[in-house]
Amino acid sequence: MGLNYDFNNIFAKILKKEIPNETVLETKHSLAFKDINPAAPIHILVIPKGPYVNYDHFISNATDEEIIDFNKTVKEVIEKQELDPKSNGNGYRLIANTGINGVQEVPHLHFHILGGKNMGFMVSKT
Ligand code: AMP
């Protein structure tokens, strides 16, 4: 995948409010919303509002303010959903599918936060 950001991708449309979303948390630079096709009882996506295709694109080009905001949003969602083991939560899985081998469907950086059940092995070994 090249790193030309597609301004018409589905998450860009969510950010432009062209399509609805179930917002969990919104900050100056980030948006967290429920995945439309959840793979676990809790399945939340966190995205930066800026036009970043994937994690390394984001880290290489975003401002420190955006990077801090994004990471704190991830943390706040984990806390808000009571997933954090330090607060007696049962844990979670944090995923960033990237590119072809990562099987990324939407070309706008997103972290999946999954919880509410045992997620099993990380990837199929076959
Ligand atoms: P990925 O394969 O990591 O790119 O995952 C993309 C995720 O976006 C999938 O889990 C989809 O269910 C989710 N998704 C696609 N369209 C929407 C939407 N309109 N609102 C919320 N989640 C969506």
Side-chain angles (χ1 to χ4, degrees):
M1 184 199 309
L3 288 186
N4 291 325
Y5 183 80
D6 170 15
F7 283 90
N8 283 317
N9 78 73
I10 196 100
F11 293 167
K13 288 182 178 172
I14 284 177
L15 288 168
K16 286 184 275 185
K17 301 196 188 309
E18 290 173 5
I19 58 171
N21 75 91
E22 255 191 274
T23 298
V24 172
L25 187 63
E26 180 165 13
T27 65
K28 185 176 173 191
H29 295 294
S30 310
L31 181 68
F33 54 98
K34 291 188 180 174
D35 195 292
I36 204 166
N37 186 20
I42 297 169
H43 189 169
I44 294 164
L45 303 172
V46 185
I47 65 173
K49 291 183 176 176
Y52 305 109
V53 177
N54 58 35
Y55 187 69
D56 36 288
H57 187 217
F58 176 63
I59 292 298
S60 303
N61 294 283
T63 63
D64 288 353
E65 190 182 329
E66 290 176 293
I67 292 169
I68 290 167
D69 183 293
F70 179 73
N71 281 289
K72 284 194 168 172
T73 302
V74 171
K75 173 189 169 281
E76 279 174 34
V77 170
I78 289 164
E79 286 178 355
K80 205 171 169 179
Q81 299 295 323
E82 301 179 336
L83 296 170
D84 189 346
K86 87 173 182 319
S87 313
N88 295 322
N90 284 328
Y92 56 91
R93 183 163 290 163
L94 189 58
I95 299 174
N97 296 321
T98 306
I100 293 169
N101 283 357
V103 195
Q104 180 178 6
E105 292 168 24
V106 181
H108 181 115
L109 170 63
H110 50 285
F111 277 8
H112 297 255
I113 300 171
L114 296 142
K117 70 168 189 179
N118 186 309
M119 232 63 65
F121 285 114
M122 186 170 64
V123 290
S124 164
K125 294 183 178 174
T126 56

